[in-house]
Amino acid sequence: MTSAVVLIIAALLDYLIGDPWGWPHPVQFMGWVISRLTKFFLQLCQHSLTQRLAGILLGTLVIIGSGFVGFFLIQTAKWLHPLLGIASESILLASCFASRSLRTAAIAVLQPLTAGDLEQARQILSNYVGRDTQNLSEAEILRAILETVTENATDGVMAPLFYAIIGVFIPFVGSIPLALAYKASSTLDSMVGYREAPYTYLGWFSARLEDCLTWLPCRLTVITLALLSGRPMHVWRICSRDAIKDPSPNSGWSECAYAAILGVQMGGKNWYRGVAKQKPLLGDAIYPITPTSIYNALQLTRYCFLLWLGIAIAIILIRAWGIGHRA
């Protein structure tokens, strides 16, 4: 029963508050640790092989360490008072969800864009994407927002929920350690999971592990979205046609599912530090990407999140009822 309460409170906290600006956040601590360890390993290891081994150690330390720290904090809070334990679990779990953060980021760019201030929209967008934004047209800005919202729907919203739910059913573990461990993996990937120097060898393990950890929740998200659309075969056909072209085993599937449902096309040429990179085209350009497309994508993510949450809570309650009935 407590697990269901924690899931509900965490979902409400993310929906109502999100990540208040200036408040401490677990990802900030993870980022600090990753940055320090990365600098240490890059100075210590000069050979490709030793950097690969250091990458394994880096990923293992940060991911398992994050899970253990979360477990220790929760157990300490529970020892002090049961209500403090519930509050701590709820706050930590809410910090793993990025639903409100995604919406806030999208709106922050859309507001100046719809007001005609293209320059400000480009500047704000640069805080959220890795591509060059200084010369983007309105259509390219809209595509960048939609791609960010739909890619992060999986690793920022649905995958943390997936591991939180799995943790509920693992004795003596719980939601928080698994959700924080996944969040650590995602943070590692975003910081060191690049093929470019100096992370080519040090970041390989983090990148591969994040791909593996996200694979199942990504496919389940695509299936859920396809069912919610009412045209599951159409969505799966488009994803099977286009998503496999993306070099990422997950982001292409996530973006393509939304593209198929919304009837828009994502992908194309992006510029990174002055270098053009062609991304595979995902979906069919039946409609242009508009602010409404982005709001609809955000709404789809919310529906998907609530569906998973509802099913998880129902299973927890049925399980608790069954245990109580047998007793």
Side-chain angles (χ1 to χ4, degrees):
M1 292 291 289
T2 302
S3 300
V5 172
V6 169
L7 283 170
I8 293 171
I9 295 175
L12 285 172
L13 286 175
D14 178 58
Y15 178 73
L16 296 173
I17 301 174
D19 300 322
W21 184 260
W23 285 30
H25 194 283
V27 170
Q28 292 176 331
F29 177 71
M30 293 174 190
W32 182 85
V33 173
I34 293 167
S35 178
R36 296 303 183 277
L37 287 176
T38 298
K39 185 177 180 180
F40 171 75
F41 284 132
L42 286 175
Q43 290 176 344
L44 182 67
C45 307
Q46 302 297 323
H47 191 271
S48 61
L49 177 59
T50 55
Q51 286 190 2
R52 285 182 182 274
L53 294 174
I56 296 175
L57 183 59
L58 170 66
T60 303
L61 285 174
V62 173
I63 292 170
I64 295 179
S66 297
F68 269 113
V69 168
F71 181 81
F72 174 77
L73 291 174
I74 295 305
Q75 294 305 313
T76 303
K78 287 180 177 179
W79 177 75
L80 292 171
H81 196 282
L83 289 179
L84 181 60
I86 292 174
S88 301
E89 282 188 275
S90 302
I91 292 170
L92 280 173
L93 185 55
S95 72
C96 295
F97 302 146
S99 182
R100 185 178 179 89
S101 298
L102 279 178
R103 177 174 287 272
T104 300
I107 291 174
V109 183
L110 285 174
Q111 283 180 337
L113 185 66
T114 53
D117 192 342
L118 203 62
E119 189 56 41
Q120 187 181 5
R122 291 168 178 158
Q123 185 177 351
I124 297 173
L125 179 64
S126 67
N127 296 323
Y128 302 109
V129 300
R131 71 192 70 180
D132 300 339
T133 64
Q134 60 268 28
N135 297 315
L136 294 183
S137 65
E138 180 178 349
E140 289 171 325
I141 292 174
L142 288 169
R143 175 168 68 85
I145 301 171
L146 186 59
E147 288 173 353
T148 300
V149 163
T150 56
E151 177 182 354
N152 287 284
T154 295
D155 56 17
V157 181
M158 300 308 301
L161 177 61
F162 172 82
Y163 284 103
I165 293 171
I166 294 297
V168 170
F169 301 101
I170 301 178
F172 310 111
V173 176
S175 298
I176 310 306
L178 280 191
L180 285 175
Y182 176 78
K183 204 70 178 177
S185 173
S186 180
T187 306
L188 277 162
D189 182 55
S190 65
M191 291 184 67
V192 301
Y194 300 102
R195 295 181 179 179
E196 295 83 9
Y199 307 117
T200 307
Y201 304 109
L202 185 69
W204 75 274
F205 177 77
S206 296
R208 299 298 181 276
L209 183 60
E210 199 274 342
D211 285 343
C212 292
L213 292 176
T214 308
W215 192 92
L216 180 56
C218 177
R219 269 58 183 180
L220 292 175
T221 300
V222 170
I223 293 170
T224 306
L225 290 169
L227 293 172
L228 287 172
S229 74
R231 299 187 299 163
M233 297 310 298
H234 167 74
V235 174
W236 193 256
R237 180 178 62 81
I238 298 297
C239 287
S240 300
R241 185 193 72 188
D242 295 341
I244 57 174
K245 302 173 186 174
D246 196 286
S248 167
N250 299 309
S251 62
W253 282 85
S254 184
E255 292 178 34
C256 195
Y258 286 91
I261 295 170
L262 299 172
V264 300
Q265 189 174 75
M266 287 184 266
K269 183 183 292 186
N270 297 330
W271 292 82
Y272 298 90
R273 295 184 292 276
V275 178
K277 183 177 180 181
Q278 188 71 32
K279 300 275 286 184
L281 297 176
L282 306 172
D284 298 319
I286 301 171
Y287 307 108
I289 298 174
T290 65
T292 301
S293 307
I294 295 165
Y295 287 120
N296 287 341
L298 290 166
Q299 195 73 358
L300 279 168
T301 304
R302 181 179 297 170
Y303 290 153
C304 192
F305 182 91
L306 290 175
L307 180 60
W308 283 22
L309 184 66
I311 293 173
I313 291 169
I315 294 172
I316 292 169
L317 294 179
I318 292 170
R319 185 167 171 260
W321 179 85
I323 294 172
H325 186 71
R326 287 196 299 271

